């Protein structure tokens, strides 16, 4: 199969760290990029999640988070807190107080 050259620009420190990590894996940067490219082609997607630092929270996302917290409270045996106890927990968390 014919070979092609692919050039990438990146921060020097990032390249140094990447080269060092690739060496720890027993490969060079070219091999690592080939592994990445093959995974992208095979999976037809980027093989890891890419997330924006800014997230638009939808009502559905909020409800999922709430339900996850309810389940965690149930597992930890604290699902029966009163509204006053919940507000105390919230206020302590906001002020950075240790509440245990």
């Amino acid at each position: 199969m014919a070979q092609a050259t692919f050039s990438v620009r990146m921060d020097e420190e990032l390249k140094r760290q990447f080269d060092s990590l690739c060496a720890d894996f027993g490969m060079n940067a070219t091999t690592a990029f080939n592994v990445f490219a093959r995974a992208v082609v095979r999976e037809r997607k980027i093989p890891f999640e890419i997330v924006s630092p800014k997230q638009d929270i939808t009502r559905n996302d909020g409800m999922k988070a709430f339900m996850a917290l309810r389940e965690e409270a149930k597992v930890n045996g604290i699902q029966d807190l009163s509204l006053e106890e919940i507000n105390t927990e919230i206020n302590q968390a906001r002020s950075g107080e240790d509440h245990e």
Side-chain angles (χ1 to χ4, degrees):
M1 180 180 296
Q3 298 288 306
T5 300
F6 183 76
S7 179
V8 177
R9 292 192 184 277
M10 70 174 64
D11 178 80
E12 285 181 31
E13 179 61 18
L14 175 61
K15 182 180 183 320
R16 187 193 62 72
Q17 292 172 349
F18 184 69
D19 286 339
S20 176
L21 189 57
C22 287
D24 289 348
F25 295 150
M27 65 176 80
N28 59 26
T30 299
T31 302
F33 278 109
N34 276 298
V35 168
F36 172 76
R38 283 186 172 86
V40 169
V41 170
R42 181 181 60 249
E43 300 294 324
R44 301 192 49 74
K45 65 179 186 173
I46 302 296
F48 50 84
E49 184 176 7
I50 299 174
V51 180
S52 170
K54 180 182 173 202
Q55 182 180 18
D56 294 327
I57 304 295
T58 65
R59 179 178 171 83
N60 190 38
D61 292 334
M63 194 54 120
K64 284 180 187 176
F66 173 74
M67 296 306 283
L69 288 172
R70 278 184 74 185
E71 183 61 29
E72 185 176 335
K74 184 177 178 183
V75 167
N76 292 314
I78 57 171
Q79 76 271 20
D80 295 326
L81 289 176
S82 69
L83 183 56
E84 184 178 325
E85 291 169 319
I86 292 169
N87 284 328
T88 299
E89 289 279 330
I90 291 169
N91 288 331
Q92 287 174 337
R94 286 180 177 164
S95 68
E97 294 177 31
D98 187 9
H99 56 277
E100 293 190 35

